[in-house]
Amino acid sequence: VDGAETSTVLLFGDSLMNEAELQIVSQSAEFGLPSEFVDEAANGRGILSMWGFTDPPRESLQGYLAEHEPDYVVFEFTGNYQQVVAAPGNEEIVHDSDEFYAAWAEMYELMMGDIVAAGAVPITVIPPPMGPGSNEQEVRNALADAYLEATAESGHPVVDWGEALSARDCIVWIETS
């Protein structure tokens, strides 16, 4: 990003992205990155479930891309569902099953394609470690592997939560790309 230009950065994800928005914006200002941040993250949103939202996540993303015309999209979803979820085509699948991971990867690739087609650079954030006492850490690890595998061919950046949303590295990455 040229230091003289202002970049539009769309933040799209679940509650963790929503919570990180203030940190990202303050770090951007602290390090002098001229960016406009648009927070379209939402608590409870997931790639594979609507959770009461009026539009499925992919349709929401497509609308935000058209409305905001971002230069970058910082994309984060944890995958910490505890129920049956809706896969592409709205068929029901069980969380943490082979079908869940295949549907997640399919929807992720479709959404990355939407971001690129809109002329933006996707930056995928691997979710943070999950708490003990559940299978959520295994889900997080499997999704991290899926993100890395899906982006291996495209070369789109994938950054770890700790490096991206809680430290200046994401801002520096945007600034130097």
Side-chain angles (χ1 to χ4, degrees):
V1 174
D2 184 329
E5 296 180 22
T6 298
S7 297
T8 300
V9 180
L10 173 64
L11 305 177
F12 186 73
D14 58 21
S15 60
L16 294 179
M17 176 64 74
N18 204 16
E19 293 168 12
E21 186 256 344
L22 290 175
Q23 179 75 11
I24 293 170
V25 172
S26 68
Q27 287 179 352
S28 175
E30 179 181 337
F31 298 110
L33 179 62
S35 294
E36 171 190 343
F37 289 89
V38 180
D39 183 8
E40 294 292 0
N43 295 346
R45 177 182 283 146
I47 286 180
L48 297 179
S49 69
M50 291 176 39
W51 284 50
F53 291 96
T54 56
D55 293 325
R58 183 173 181 214
E59 291 177 21
S60 295
L61 175 63
Q62 291 167 337
Y64 299 144
L65 291 168
E67 178 182 353
H68 302 296
E69 299 179 352
D71 300 296
Y72 300 92
V73 177
V74 181
F75 183 97
E76 178 280 327
F77 287 94
T78 60
N80 57 344
Y81 307 109
Q82 293 295 325
Q83 74 281 343
V84 173
V85 297
N90 291 322
E91 60 270 11
E92 290 187 356
I93 55 173
V94 176
H95 176 256
D96 194 24
S97 64
D98 289 343
E99 293 82 13
F100 170 82
Y101 294 112
W104 186 283
E106 178 184 351
M107 184 59 73
Y108 173 75
E109 289 182 20
L110 289 169
M111 294 171 99
M112 290 300 104
D114 294 339
I115 293 168
V116 171
V121 175
I123 304 169
T124 299
V125 179
I126 295 174
M130 296 289 158
S134 72
N135 72 336
E136 296 308 322
Q137 186 60 42
E138 290 81 19
V139 172
R140 180 260 185 211
N141 292 343
L143 293 177
D145 291 344
Y147 285 147
L148 292 169
E149 183 178 322
T151 58
E153 289 184 32
S154 68
H156 299 140
V158 177
V159 293
D160 187 80
W161 171 270
E163 296 171 357
L165 302 182
S166 62
R168 74 174 265 185
D169 294 357
C170 182
I171 302 304
V172 171
W173 186 91
I174 292 172
E175 189 172 53
T176 59
S177 66

